[in-house]
Amino acid sequence: MALSNNDIFKKLRVALKLRDDDIVEICSLVDFKVTKSELGAIFRAEDHPKYMECGDQFLRNFLNGLVIHKRGVMPKKEPGNKNQE
């Protein structure tokens, strides 16, 4: 049985002890706007009338923001400066 994007998102939220405010902040790191009400809809049970499916783009943006949140912004690479051994 495969996990849905909603299941993955819920598991990450619990494992990392993230609140709605944290998730909104993480998404803003990659210029992805999300509201607390959208998060509430994603975290609802599938049979709830206001349930919303977590799309691939939503999860991808959250994961990209999470990388920046945990590691920091990657430094810019200078063109033409290759590591040669």
Side-chain angles (χ1 to χ4, degrees):
M1 188 166 123
L3 292 174
S4 70
N5 286 349
N6 291 61
D7 294 333
I8 294 168
F9 198 22
K10 287 177 191 176
K11 289 180 181 296
L12 285 170
R13 180 184 188 195
V14 171
L16 298 172
K17 300 176 185 170
L18 298 173
R19 294 182 173 183
D20 288 346
D21 293 330
D22 300 327
I23 295 171
V24 170
E25 181 182 329
I26 288 168
C27 289
S28 71
L29 294 174
V30 290
D31 296 327
F32 186 71
K33 305 290 185 234
V34 62
T35 63
K36 289 184 184 181
S37 60
E38 288 175 313
L39 292 175
I42 288 172
F43 295 128
R44 293 187 189 279
E46 285 185 48
D47 58 346
H48 193 278
K50 295 197 178 192
Y51 168 81
M52 184 174 87
E53 189 174 318
C54 179
D56 292 340
Q57 180 182 6
F58 192 102
L59 187 59
R60 181 178 62 246
N61 282 309
F62 170 72
L63 292 173
N64 288 335
L66 186 62
V67 169
I68 294 171
H69 178 74
K70 292 291 184 182
R71 294 184 188 167
V73 180
M74 283 186 61
K76 299 268 185 188
K77 293 183 180 179
E78 294 180 26
N81 187 10
K82 296 180 180 178
N83 261 345
Q84 296 179 357
E85 294 181 28

